[in-house]
Amino acid sequence: MPDTDATVPPSPVRYALTGARGGFARTLLAQTRHIERLRPAVLCDLDPEGTVALCTELGYDPADLRVCTDAAELAAGGDDRIAVIADAALLEHAAYDVLVEATGSPRAGTLAARTAITTGHHVVMVSKEVDSVSGIALADLARERGVVYTPGIGDQPANLIEWYERTRRLGLDVVAVGKSGEYDLVFDPATGRVRQLDQEIDAPGLAGLLTLGEDVPATLRARAEAVSGLSRSAAADYCEMGVVANHTGLVPDTESLHYPVARAAELADVYALAEDGGVLSRPGAVDVFSVLRLPEEASFAGGVFAVVRTGDPVTWEMLAQKGHVVSRSGRYACLYLPYHFMGVETPLSILDAADHGRAAGLRRPAPHAVLAGRARGPLAAGTRLDMGGHHHDVTGVAPVLLDTAQAPGDVAPLYLAAHATLARDVPAGALLRLDDLADADGDLLDAWSHARAGFTNDRNR
């Protein structure tokens, strides 16, 4: 008897990928080989030969990869081979469904995403540097063109945005959301030393600070002092929290973020309001904490969390008995996801965009926060503000995350200032302003002007 329920298999989803030789891109390309419906169609990187070598290393057939230098070569290849290009402008002529933008370059990423959107393609934005300057303009353009613009699942912004929306759908009263820093503080009581990735320092004082004590802020200050020899904050953290703020309406409690040194089981006590013994001056905050753990304890793995006010005390006492993180007072609880899997998870965003027209989160992004910068010391006119390193720090500039309701209207976003030259001297501690920049990129200025027009006190919570 014939199967009357048989359906035509869904068509493959083809994606273009910019920044194809980066670490995030590698994780996506590796995972794609195990997902039947997902196929790379166009790989864009300044090093095409290196891109071919990477794909070959990951198990792609070299015969399926072809380097293209112009639109004619792109058109001649058919649909079954992977085009490798160096010039992102060629995306205008390429056949694909979704662009995954992973260059980390504010200008290049903005232009690639704009090209994709204007030619009718969805965009999964992995480059948070792009999103911090151009994300609102690109999201609005995508809405006009009937396509999806979304941060990518697998990195903390999209994971946290979706986690926040889940808590809201459940009717939970969210006090704070955030993520852990990239690298744990691993304290070994046997040696009195603490390790952060490949750095290690003596911190014997931590042995007596492994519990919060009655005065939570005092304990946190003592822990911070004990590990002061380690650099725990990064521009990437501020950037990611800025993306989350603009997608949720939550804002930083302090421009430098709190960065408490905390154990995962303490988060409900740490992110309580100050009147309840925590660090927050107001509810509705985005923040980052540094994980403190012992060598045998599991990592938070760059995961995300939401701290909520509890309701029925019997319900939350029962949940605490099951191992959930509830504050000692019983007034707060922490819901968390202790992972982010980078490009291994990003296929979910690609397929959601192509199949369902779905973005991470439910809200239209708006300028609730701005990633800005303060001069670490005096900066002279003519200084070039270079961007580099693993976390894309800007030389001589400390990242800060400002609530736009309190930010000056002429503040310069950190990644608009990146690679620009100073037009005038900037004193130590001063915020970078747009007029401080002699040669800011025009495309980024246009995108930021679009976002600035939406500065508002209405945080749409």
Side-chain angles (χ1 to χ4, degrees), residues 140-186:
D140 286 348
L141 179 62
R143 189 173 297 104
E144 292 173 6
R145 298 301 179 102
V147 295
V148 171
Y149 174 89
T150 180
I153 295 170
D155 218 358
Q156 290 100 332
N159 288 15
L160 184 50
I161 292 162
E162 294 208 329
W163 194 235
Y164 169 74
E165 295 294 354
R166 179 183 173 90
T167 62
R168 294 282 291 180
R169 287 178 65 196
L170 293 173
L172 293 166
D173 181 9
V174 178
V175 175
V177 301
K179 53 160 269 186
S180 71
E182 291 295 307
Y183 309 115
D184 296 355
L185 300 173
V186 184

Side-chain angles (χ1 to χ4, degrees), residues 398-445:
V400 291
L401 189 62
L402 307 177
D403 180 344
T404 53
Q406 302 166 359
D410 63 346
V411 66
L414 182 66
Y415 289 119
L416 191 155
H419 301 308
T421 304
L422 290 179
R424 59 193 182 192
D425 295 344
V426 177
L431 280 174
L432 292 179
R433 309 295 182 107
L434 293 172
D435 286 346
D436 293 332
L437 310 178
D439 53 358
D441 181 81
D443 290 299
L444 295 181
L445 276 172

Side-chain angles (χ1 to χ4, degrees), residues 175 214 216-217 253 269-283 309 329 331-332:
V175 175
E214 291 301 316
V216 171
D253 191 43
D269 290 283
V270 170
Y271 285 106
L273 294 175
E275 59 260 34
D276 293 324
V279 301
L280 296 180
S281 67
R282 57 180 174 177
R309 288 189 177 100
S329 70
R331 297 191 188 107
Y332 299 87

Side-chain angles (χ1 to χ4, degrees), residues 306-457:
V307 172
V308 303
R309 288 189 177 100
T310 56
D312 173 48
V314 176
T315 295
W316 288 97
E317 182 179 356
M318 179 174 60
L319 290 172
Q321 291 169 355
K322 293 179 179 295
H324 293 280
V325 175
V326 178
S327 69
R328 294 174 295 190
S329 70
R331 297 191 188 107
Y332 299 87
C334 179
L335 290 64
Y336 63 95
L337 295 174
Y339 67 82
H340 75 300
F341 287 120
M342 300 178 66
V344 175
E345 281 189 290
T346 305
L348 296 175
S349 288
I350 299 171
L351 294 171
D352 277 349
D355 291 342
H356 309 296
R358 179 181 178 272
L362 304 174
R363 302 160 195 270
R364 176 178 177 175
H368 299 292
V370 53
L371 174 67
R374 290 191 183 276
R376 295 185 185 274
L379 296 173
T383 299
R384 180 176 168 81
L385 302 175
D386 292 321
M387 180 185 81
H390 175 67
H391 291 297
H392 287 185
D393 295 303
V394 177
T395 303
V397 181
V400 291
L401 189 62
L402 307 177
D403 180 344
T404 53
Q406 302 166 359
D410 63 346
V411 66
L414 182 66
Y415 289 119
L416 191 155
H419 301 308
T421 304
L422 290 179
R424 59 193 182 192
D425 295 344
V426 177
L431 280 174
L432 292 179
R433 309 295 182 107
L434 293 172
D435 286 346
D436 293 332
L437 310 178
D439 53 358
D441 181 81
D443 290 299
L444 295 181
L445 276 172
D446 287 346
W448 181 245
S449 295
H450 178 96
R452 284 175 67 201
F455 275 24
T456 176
N457 289 326

